[in-house]
Amino acid sequence: MIHHELLEGFGEHMKDKHLAIRIEQCLSLAKASNCPRRKFGALLVDPERNVVLMDGYNGGPRGGGELCGGDECLRDTMEIKSGTRVEIGCHHAEMNLICNSAANGVPTNGAWLIVTGEPCMMCAKLIHHSGIGKVVIVDGGFSGENGVSYLENHGVPVQRTDGPKDPRVG
């Protein structure tokens, strides 16, 4: 359930109820992921027109390539600490979204990114350099080392809202 009070005042252009709907769409999009470890979804939205510009989710290579570890997450079997060794694992939702935007000529500058977990450092750099104006994180995803501080230190506002929790944390 999304806590609307966490969104209050964030909708500089987008109404809070519309942002809440986009967050729900992002959570649904995460279900398309074929990663056995964790499913992430990401939406790029135009906050002034309240339209979705692009989407992405984590998973294997475009065109149906194999996941890094097949039916098991290689990050789990190799016991890789969250936020490290980003070269091992799925293509991240944020990376897919930004690459999809570039491949289709969709501008990212000034758009908002909604994502169902904290961006890693690699994705934070992509977000910042692509000109994305704000990031809404559906909280409760993996924590650990991530790129939130990088985004904030480089002038990209980050807003958190409640969402599903990491099932491995009790």
Side-chain angles (χ1 to χ4, degrees):
M1 182 165 122
I2 296 168
H3 294 273
H4 296 279
E5 65 274 5
L6 293 174
L7 299 174
E8 285 181 21
F10 188 59
E12 290 178 15
H13 298 290
M14 185 181 289
K15 292 181 180 177
D16 291 339
K17 71 176 184 175
H18 292 144
L19 183 56
I21 290 167
R22 297 299 181 214
I23 290 169
E24 289 172 14
Q25 289 176 308
C26 192
L27 291 167
S28 292
L29 179 64
K31 295 174 185 176
S33 171
N34 57 354
C35 177
R37 181 177 190 220
R38 174 72 155 79
K39 298 175 183 317
F40 284 88
L43 283 180
L44 186 71
V45 298
D46 179 329
E48 292 185 25
R49 296 183 300 135
N50 185 30
V51 295
V52 174
L53 302 171
M54 188 55 64
D55 63 22
Y57 53 87
N58 65 317
R62 182 172 302 284
E66 288 294 314
L67 289 170
C68 59
D71 292 337
E72 295 181 11
C73 178
L74 198 55
R75 294 185 63 82
D76 284 341
T77 58
M78 293 177 69
E79 298 181 4
I80 297 172
K81 182 182 172 194
S82 182
T84 65
R85 303 280 320 267
V86 295
E87 75 278 7
I88 297 173
C90 293
H91 296 181
H92 295 186
E94 307 95 318
M95 177 175 55
N96 276 338
L97 178 145
I98 292 168
C99 291
N100 288 342
S101 295
N104 290 289
V106 175
T108 55
N109 199 36
W112 291 6
L113 172 72
I114 303 169
V115 63
T116 61
E118 296 176 347
C120 71
M121 183 60 78
M122 174 186 66
C123 288
K125 290 177 179 181
L126 287 168
I127 291 165
H128 170 243
H129 286 272
S130 69
I132 289 171
K134 292 188 181 190
V135 176
V136 178
I137 299 172
V138 181
D139 226 358
F142 289 101
S143 53
E145 294 181 38
N146 61 60
V148 172
S149 293
Y150 177 92
L151 290 169
E152 293 172 337
N153 291 337
H154 288 86
V156 180
V158 174
Q159 175 72 29
R160 296 175 181 275
T161 185
D162 204 14
K165 304 301 177 216
D166 179 347
R168 301 177 307 163
V169 177

